[in-house]
Amino acid sequence: MFYNQPLAIRFGTELLKQIQEVTGIETYWDSLDVAVAWVRASGVSHLEDSLIKFLKSGGHLRFIVGIDLHNTSFEGLKALVKLEDHGTSETFVYHNEAGSVFHPKVYLFRNVEEARLIVGSNNMTASGLYSNVEAGLQLDTALTDDVIESALDAMASWRDTSSGFALKLDKPLLSKLLDNGYIKKEANIRPPQRKSKKKSDGSATEKLFGSRTYAPPKIAAKKPKKKPAPPVGTNASESHEADPSGTTVLMRLRKARGTQTQIPFRVADKFFKDITQVESVQSGTVHGLNPAKAHNKQNTIKLEIPELKDFDDPYARFEKSGGTVTYEVHDVGSPKGNQIKATLEDGFKNESTQMSISDKERATWWRYI
């Protein structure tokens, strides 16, 4: 499987699914080894609850983290140390004083027979897991595969404390790393910016590239022990909370009347709840959402998308940020259309892709990423 973030996959979402994967009542994977260049609290916080459950179910965790270029934070490493309170977890810090940067991004799941190896560009930061443009390749194979043996050997060499480049992380070492300037607290880490906004002649520089912000999902709030009762007069089965900011859904759209499509009520009631318009990333134009009713009940939302005019089989990406929704749409056969389609098709394997009707060819498809 190829990961193309953020267009068709958000790696953090997929990683959580794999950590949480079960067979019967047992977790599917016995261990997870991670080697990344950078870790921040923002990344660990998205994974923390699932990692704790993994540990409590008997899973083993092992992290190897770089601290170069001041991109790994004190809070990120502290969060990894705290995981040790919940089960078998250990963290190693790798650094070369000569300046060679530790830069791998490797995630390796194992059980007694199988392995899943993901090698890519995703660090354990919120941006690396969700909003940066990142890529990765997943290999599912036997535990005895030579590639898995090579990956295990590489990770063992990176955490080898006899080399002088790796140290096992604990609270005293964490304090030493901070006191000696190897890491900073997140409040003191400044995001990279262009050094100058003026040319040598004093005139202002111009922006040469486009600008688009991708929002990571909100971290789910802790669930109350008792589910609160729905408001008086509301049927519990009909009560839906709107999807939060940062939610992204991929869709295969069905054309009607040239440039019109219909959003099924199961998506409309959650993702598009309280949303009255959407904005095209491609053209910047805004289009209104028009609820459609049948038997005095809303069943779909009608949406005009001019880009659909010449498309044969359109695939779209909708992202919610704050109170707005942006979208981009591509035809099958285009690079982006093909990648969105591939992600939706892959979702049929684990039922994360849903359909509006049972006829796959005629249905609208959607999958949250």
Side-chain angles (χ1 to χ4, degrees):
M1 179 178 180
F2 182 79
Y3 292 90
N4 176 18
Q5 178 181 295
L7 173 71
I9 285 288
R10 295 202 294 184
F11 182 65
T13 303
E14 297 305 305
L15 187 60
L16 282 170
K17 288 178 184 177
Q18 294 173 37
I19 295 168
Q20 297 164 357
E21 191 172 351
V22 296
T23 174
I25 60 172
E26 300 291 332
T27 55
Y28 190 80
W29 301 110
D30 298 330
S31 65
L32 169 60
D33 289 84
V34 177
V36 290
W38 304 319
V39 63
R40 298 272 185 98
S42 62
V44 180
S45 60
H46 280 280
L47 307 175
E48 184 177 34
D49 285 351
S50 293
L51 291 175
I52 289 173
K53 289 178 183 176
F54 183 77
L55 290 169
K56 288 183 175 180
S57 68
H60 293 188
L61 296 173
R62 194 156 46 192
F63 302 93
I64 310 162
V65 181
I67 55 171
D68 299 298
L69 307 177
H70 285 127
N71 276 306
T72 287
S73 71
F74 171 84
E75 292 88 346
L77 292 178
K78 182 179 179 181
L80 294 183
V81 171
K82 286 182 67 176
L83 289 174
E84 297 176 18
D85 296 339
H86 304 281
T88 305
S89 178
E90 55 184 355
T91 300
F92 296 83
V93 175
Y94 186 102
H95 181 67
N96 185 339
E97 298 283 4
S100 176
V101 175
F102 185 76
H103 215 243
K105 290 92 179 175
V106 181
Y107 298 79
L108 176 58
F109 292 88
R110 288 177 291 155
N111 58 29
V112 293
E113 294 183 348
E114 300 168 278
R116 174 169 292 162
L117 175 64
I118 305 167
V119 180
S121 62
N122 306 82
N123 280 304
M124 265 180 62
T125 64
S127 297
L129 294 174
Y130 292 100
S131 55
N132 284 349
V133 176
E134 308 278 5
L137 190 64
Q138 175 180 311
L139 172 67
D140 292 336
T141 188
L143 186 62
T144 54
D145 192 303
D146 288 347
V147 173
I148 302 304
E149 294 289 346
S150 295
L152 286 168
D153 286 343
M155 297 176 94
S157 71
W158 296 334
R159 65 174 182 270
D160 179 9
T161 56
S162 68
S163 69
F165 300 122
L167 296 173
K168 191 174 186 303
L169 185 65
D170 55 19
K171 290 180 181 178
L173 177 60
L174 181 62
S175 296
K176 283 185 179 181
L177 292 172
L178 182 65
D179 293 342
N180 287 279
Y182 286 99
I183 57 174
K184 295 181 180 181
K185 292 193 174 181
E186 295 190 1
N188 299 322
I189 299 176
R190 296 181 180 179
Q193 295 179 337
R194 282 193 298 158
K195 290 183 178 180
S196 174
K197 294 186 178 181
K198 287 188 177 182
K199 299 178 185 178
S200 57
D201 62 4
S203 61
T205 58
E206 59 180 315
K207 292 183 178 180
L208 302 179
F209 300 93
S211 177
R212 180 177 177 186
T213 300
Y214 295 96
K218 284 189 175 180
I219 298 168
K222 303 291 184 183
K223 292 182 180 180
K225 291 183 180 179
K226 280 191 174 183
K227 190 174 181 180
V232 176
T234 301
N235 185 325
S237 64
E238 296 178 353
S239 179
H240 300 286
E241 291 185 3
D243 287 320
S245 177
T247 304
T248 299
V249 64
L250 304 181
M251 297 188 72
R252 182 226 193 179
L253 302 175
R254 308 310 298 140
K255 289 173 62 175
R257 299 178 185 175
T259 60
Q260 187 183 94
T261 190
Q262 294 186 349
I263 308 296
F265 74 92
R266 280 179 284 168
V267 185
D269 277 4
K270 286 179 59 60
F271 187 85
F272 290 98
K273 187 174 183 178
D274 301 324
I275 300 296
T276 59
Q277 59 186 26
V278 297
E279 180 179 344
S280 169
V281 170
Q282 291 145 300
S283 68
T285 56
V286 174
H287 310 289
L289 298 172
N290 301 299
K293 292 185 177 182
H295 307 293
N296 293 321
K297 288 187 177 181
Q298 180 179 322
N299 63 345
T300 64
I301 288 178
K302 293 181 179 179
L303 174 61
E304 287 287 341
I305 300 182
E307 294 94 335
L308 297 183
K309 183 179 179 181
D310 299 317
F311 287 0
D312 295 319
D313 192 9
Y315 291 83
R317 181 187 191 278
F318 293 88
E319 180 173 324
K320 182 179 287 189
S321 180
T324 63
V325 169
T326 57
Y327 77 89
E328 58 182 292
V329 62
H330 308 277
D331 200 10
V332 70
S334 68
K336 289 186 175 181
N338 289 345
Q339 289 172 84
I340 295 173
K341 180 183 179 182
T343 298
L344 287 165
E345 290 277 13
D346 188 68
F348 285 119
K349 298 175 184 176
N350 59 13
E351 299 183 349
S352 58
T353 295
Q354 300 177 59
M355 299 191 299
S356 57
I357 56 176
S358 59
D359 186 336
K360 186 177 178 182
E361 293 304 312
R362 295 173 49 240
T364 297
W365 309 346
W366 67 93
R367 177 183 177 183
Y368 287 91
I369 65 169

